[in-house]
Amino acid sequence: MKYKFEKPVNAGIGMEKYRCTITWRNGGFIADEPVSQGGQDSGPDPYTLLLSSLASCTLITLRMYIERKGWDIPEIRVNTNMYSEIKDGNTITVIDRDIYFPQPVPDDQKLRLQEIAKACPISKILENQVSVRTFIQRDPENTRKIVYQNETIAVVWQPELCQHATRCWKELPQVFRPKEKKWVDINGAPAAQITEQVYRCPSGALTIEKK
């Protein structure tokens, strides 16, 4: 398993309805709900962000292809919208993507770009199987703790809290070995690397104990 980003996208919300601050690798922006939903419309709503992701990925993919081909197409525009309907008791969501050009473009190039658009990475994600895993840290008292330590670091594992995100052993397999009885090899990597990996545990089952 290798995540797309070294640092995850982080978002937070306070008491101001429904203003969210979203931080990415190079800055931040605001998301909100429209006034009709009780927000202040101070930023794009979640549906707009979803459609914007598809639109921007489409444009970037097409621009890369056009550059490789050496075609003279100075501008591309994309409209995206969506609707949902009930069919046979299931909710079906349809996203429409309209590609157009402010200047004349030959039909053969348009048809090729229509096919290329379908191959943009966000299109592939949306049209393939997607699962959303949700983790949350808990802090119950009196849970069983198992400590793995050496002279420089101590890793604490609380099995009752583990939600099996698999990040530990898929990202640092030389330390975290779930098929072994003593599954944490504290000498398998430098202390700094182990600490960094432990901090990625989303459930709080793994923590670092100060020595």
Side-chain angles (χ1 to χ4, degrees), residues 63-104:
R63 177 52 65 199
M64 289 178 175
Y65 185 81
I66 289 168
E67 289 176 351
R68 288 200 302 270
K69 287 294 186 178
W71 292 347
D72 182 19
I73 302 178
E75 187 177 1
I76 320 160
R77 308 293 300 181
V78 171
N79 287 335
T80 52
N81 213 332
M82 63 188 296
Y83 66 89
S84 296
E85 57 185 8
I86 305 297
K87 286 186 177 180
D88 301 324
N90 297 316
T91 300
I92 306 298
T93 299
V94 177
I95 298 176
D96 284 344
R97 169 176 50 192
D98 304 336
I99 303 170
Y100 63 99
F101 308 90
Q103 66 290 317

Side-chain angles (χ1 to χ4, degrees), residues 30-162:
I30 301 299
D32 202 348
E33 286 286 350
V35 175
S36 62
Q37 298 297 319
Q40 301 299 316
D41 219 10
S42 61
D45 62 86
Y47 291 107
T48 298
L49 292 172
L50 175 64
L51 294 175
S52 298
S53 177
L54 176 61
S56 59
C57 185
T58 300
L59 291 171
I60 292 168
T61 300
L62 294 182
R63 177 52 65 199
M64 289 178 175
Y65 185 81
I66 289 168
E67 289 176 351
R68 288 200 302 270
K69 287 294 186 178
W71 292 347
D72 182 19
I73 302 178
E75 187 177 1
I76 320 160
R77 308 293 300 181
V78 171
N79 287 335
T80 52
N81 213 332
M82 63 188 296
Y83 66 89
S84 296
E85 57 185 8
I86 305 297
K87 286 186 177 180
D88 301 324
N90 297 316
T91 300
I92 306 298
T93 299
V94 177
I95 298 176
D96 284 344
R97 169 176 50 192
D98 304 336
I99 303 170
Y100 63 99
F101 308 90
Q103 66 290 317
V105 173
D107 272 356
D108 61 333
Q109 294 183 3
K110 287 182 178 180
L111 292 174
R112 182 56 182 157
L113 292 174
Q114 184 179 23
E115 292 303 312
I116 294 300
K118 298 176 184 178
C120 93
I122 297 300
S123 288
K124 290 182 176 181
I125 290 173
L126 292 173
E127 293 187 293
N128 283 295
Q129 182 176 350
V130 176
S131 61
V132 178
R133 305 190 305 169
T134 302
F135 304 104
I136 193 166
Q137 287 196 7
R138 297 185 295 125
D139 301 297
E141 297 180 358
N142 302 320
T143 57
R144 183 164 61 100
K145 296 182 178 181
I146 302 174
V147 181
Y148 304 88
Q149 60 184 326
N150 58 22
E151 64 276 4
T152 60
I153 187 174
V155 173
V156 179
W157 179 45
Q158 296 171 267
E160 288 82 3
L161 301 185
C162 188

Side-chain angles (χ1 to χ4, degrees), residues 155-205:
V155 173
V156 179
W157 179 45
Q158 296 171 267
E160 288 82 3
L161 301 185
C162 188
Q163 297 173 35
H164 307 292
T166 72
R167 291 179 193 171
C168 53
W169 61 268
K170 286 186 176 181
E171 294 184 331
L172 198 62
Q174 64 268 39
V175 172
F176 302 99
R177 307 166 303 169
K179 294 183 179 181
E180 303 290 336
K181 185 174 182 180
K182 186 178 179 180
W183 77 285
V184 179
D185 181 3
I186 204 67
N187 298 308
Q193 190 176 2
I194 295 174
T195 299
E196 181 181 355
Q197 188 63 53
V198 166
Y199 286 156
R200 295 177 185 172
C201 176
S203 65

